[in-house]
Amino acid sequence: MAMLIEFFNQSNESPDLKHSTPHLCCGNEELSMKILEGNTVGIDLGTTYSAISKLDEEGNPTLIPNADDRIITPSVVLLGDDGHVLVGPSFERISIEDPTHIVEAIKRQMGNPEFYVVYQNKKLTSEFISALILKKLKQDAEARIGPIGNAVITVPYYFNDVRRKATQDAGRIAGLNVIDIINEPTAATLSYAWNKGELGRADLVQKEKSILVYDLGGGTFDVTVVSYTPTHFRVLATDGDVMLGGLDWSQRIVDHIAEQFRRKFGDDPREDPETLRIFSQEAEDAKRQLSKKTQVPINVYYKGKTLTVSLSRADFERMTSDLMQRTKDTTELVLQQAGIRLEDLDDVILVGGSTYMPVVEHMLREVCKREPSRELQPEEAVSQGAAIHAAILEAKATGGQGQIAQAVIKRLQSVQTSDVNSHSLGVKLTDPNDRGRKMNHIMIPRNTEIPYSTTQRFVTNSPNQQRIHVHILEGETSDPDACSQIGDFRVYDLPENLPKGSPVELSYQYDSSGRISAVAKELTSNKAASTEIVRDSGLDDEGIDVFQRLADEYKVE
């Protein structure tokens, strides 16, 4: 998350930065979420596949099969003509449906206010579509384990505040009490430590280990370095791309095949939505086969013409080399930002189905100078870690009155986690070299361990300034307009004849639960104002109720 604060006076100018005095905020806030009756689960809401897990009585994180007895469900929604909604339909079913009724990769649209799907004369948002996927997971799981009351849902570490709120809204629309949003690499690390028998074992030697989590899913990508002991997990650095994933590798195959077809027959199969969908499925299948085979044939048909293309693994890796290079650059950057030597890296963990591509292991072996671990199942680890985190929160909130063994609860209660902010927090200032230009001054850089607070001093840049307008945004770029606004507030009634250069102090805090509080004070008069931003939800209760009633109108299968 990142915060950007902008001051405006009557002439729409901003104060200049004078100096800063940052300091670390100490202590964690008490847990305050409400645990409802019913099971508490962890959900990996993925771009291409989703999964739901729960700790069993022995404390093992277990994936709950869906109605088709599969432990992962395709994150595909088919909007039927009669109000029936099919989540995770088979390719055979999809192939006979109108492509405009099929919604895929909705995770990439989370938090996008301009995205919607028109269905039965209603505009369905990304939150609502995601809620249908969550509703399917919930109802299938409840058929096996009984009522579900609470859930932890995972998101990529690089999701910003808007995307996280949208994810939380989706859970609420689906009828879940979302007790936390957890970052996917953190969830994977919990799963890793549990799998090794270390998690919560206060009796073990508290030797700190460092691991790199490389998470390449169907639509998003994260790299995170985590340092941990059996009872304390600390994120050192993270980076990623919410628009990079296995879908982009598959698309390169689609484009390659389509270009071959166009050159031979003069027609471009991508112009027909139904054919494009078939091409996309063929490309996805070929990509998966190339993880095991060195060459695969691809047969495509369009307008009565057939083409067979033989695609080698070497050709596939060559046509996607720039995509892999992007993940390599990010991996090297995160290692650098974490300040960890390669010889001190204890393990490299692969998460996400796209890590099955052999080139991923080859690249990581080259960068990290060690063999990546295959201890965890890439498609299952995040959901399992979310279930562990959910059980930890339940154990702490209920005083250990949970459904799992008391020995396991005692272990879970001892676990603490520390995160970093994945987006920088900054302040918008007038560029001293160009009075008409605004600039983003970073106050809390990304990858700063939270909780954290900072105080910095600014000065007014015009005489007789009457008010201060603080805009709270998040973003990395120097251009404030490229950042996202997440809140604002004002300080009014400044003293008359306030001279130019009067001191203004900014203080704000980013706590471990994701809350941002900001205070602005004009020091001559001690006039102050503040605000707090809490990731409760992007929608208000009324908006959630409207979407819940709409979801109830549809029969989700």
Side-chain angles (χ1 to χ4, degrees), residues 308-326:
T308 299
V309 177
S310 182
L311 182 64
S312 70
R313 182 189 294 171
D315 287 338
F316 173 57
E317 291 178 354
R318 188 162 45 249
M319 70 176 66
T320 57
S321 61
D322 61 311
L323 301 177
M324 186 52 57
Q325 183 65 42
R326 286 165 61 184

Side-chain angles (χ1 to χ4, degrees), residues 113-273:
E114 298 179 358
F115 177 87
Y116 60 86
V117 175
V118 177
Y119 176 58
Q120 295 186 335
N121 297 319
K122 299 181 178 69
K123 291 183 178 179
L124 307 184
T125 65
S126 57
E127 296 92 329
F128 186 83
I129 296 293
S130 295
L132 297 177
I133 298 172
L134 292 170
K135 187 175 181 179
K136 165 68 171 174
L137 294 173
K138 178 176 181 284
Q139 67 186 31
D140 282 3
E142 286 183 329
R144 295 179 181 268
I145 67 173
I148 293 174
N150 317 284
V152 167
I153 304 176
T154 65
V155 294
Y157 218 125
Y158 216 61
F159 255 25
N160 62 15
D161 190 64
V162 174
R163 293 174 183 269
R164 290 168 188 267
K165 286 179 177 176
T167 302
Q168 190 153 346
D169 286 341
R172 293 181 63 197
I173 295 167
L176 295 166
N177 176 35
V178 183
I179 57 177
D180 202 7
I181 299 292
I182 184 175
N183 297 312
E184 290 163 3
T186 304
T189 306
L190 290 172
S191 184
Y192 174 80
W194 186 270
N195 191 59
K196 283 191 166 295
E198 299 172 338
L199 186 67
R201 291 286 303 278
D203 56 309
L204 296 179
V205 176
Q206 298 284 301
K207 179 182 180 297
E208 197 167 56
K209 295 183 179 180
S210 297
I211 63 174
L212 181 142
V213 181
Y214 178 98
D215 185 354
L216 184 61
T220 61
F221 168 67
D222 277 320
V223 178
T224 304
V225 174
V226 182
S227 181
Y228 79 94
T229 68
T231 58
H232 185 237
F233 291 73
R234 183 166 57 98
V235 175
L236 300 182
T238 188
D239 205 343
D241 191 335
V242 296
M243 297 298 286
L244 179 65
L247 293 173
D248 301 292
W249 271 260
S250 299
Q251 186 60 44
R252 292 294 173 86
I253 298 178
V254 170
D255 292 337
H256 174 71
I257 299 170
E259 281 300 313
Q260 296 271 352
F261 196 99
R262 186 184 61 80
R263 289 172 186 171
K264 184 170 183 178
F265 299 113
D267 295 314
D268 190 339
R270 290 168 294 190
E271 296 176 353
D272 177 61

Side-chain angles (χ1 to χ4, degrees), residues 435-536:
R435 303 291 290 181
R437 178 179 176 269
K438 301 297 186 294
M439 58 183 290
N440 175 17
H441 165 74
I442 299 296
M443 295 178 71
I444 302 181
R446 67 181 180 186
N447 289 326
T448 297
E449 185 173 346
I450 56 176
Y452 188 90
S453 68
T454 183
T455 298
Q456 299 190 19
R457 186 169 291 190
F458 304 82
V459 296
T460 58
N461 56 17
S462 65
N464 197 31
Q465 186 164 323
Q466 297 297 303
R467 65 177 184 174
I468 300 169
H469 188 179
V470 181
H471 286 262
I472 302 175
L473 309 174
E474 63 179 359
E476 306 299 329
T477 71
S478 60
D479 179 8
D481 293 334
C483 300
S484 301
Q485 179 169 320
I486 58 174
D488 73 318
F489 66 100
R490 292 172 171 82
V491 182
Y492 290 104
D493 300 325
L494 301 185
E496 292 185 5
N497 302 315
L498 189 69
K500 176 182 177 180
S502 297
V504 177
E505 191 173 80
L506 278 178
S507 300
Y508 50 97
Q509 177 178 319
Y510 189 1
D511 73 19
S512 56
S513 63
R515 282 191 292 261
I516 297 172
S517 56
V519 179
K521 180 186 290 186
E522 192 281 307
L523 298 181
T524 302
S525 63
N526 281 330
K527 292 275 188 179
S530 64
T531 190
E532 183 176 82
I533 299 167
V534 184
R535 197 188 66 235
D536 284 336

Side-chain angles (χ1 to χ4, degrees), residues 21 29 103 151 214 252 273 304 314 380 422 494 544:
T21 52
E29 300 214 2
V103 186
Y214 178 98
R252 292 294 173 86
E380 302 175 16
S422 56
L494 301 185
I544 294 292

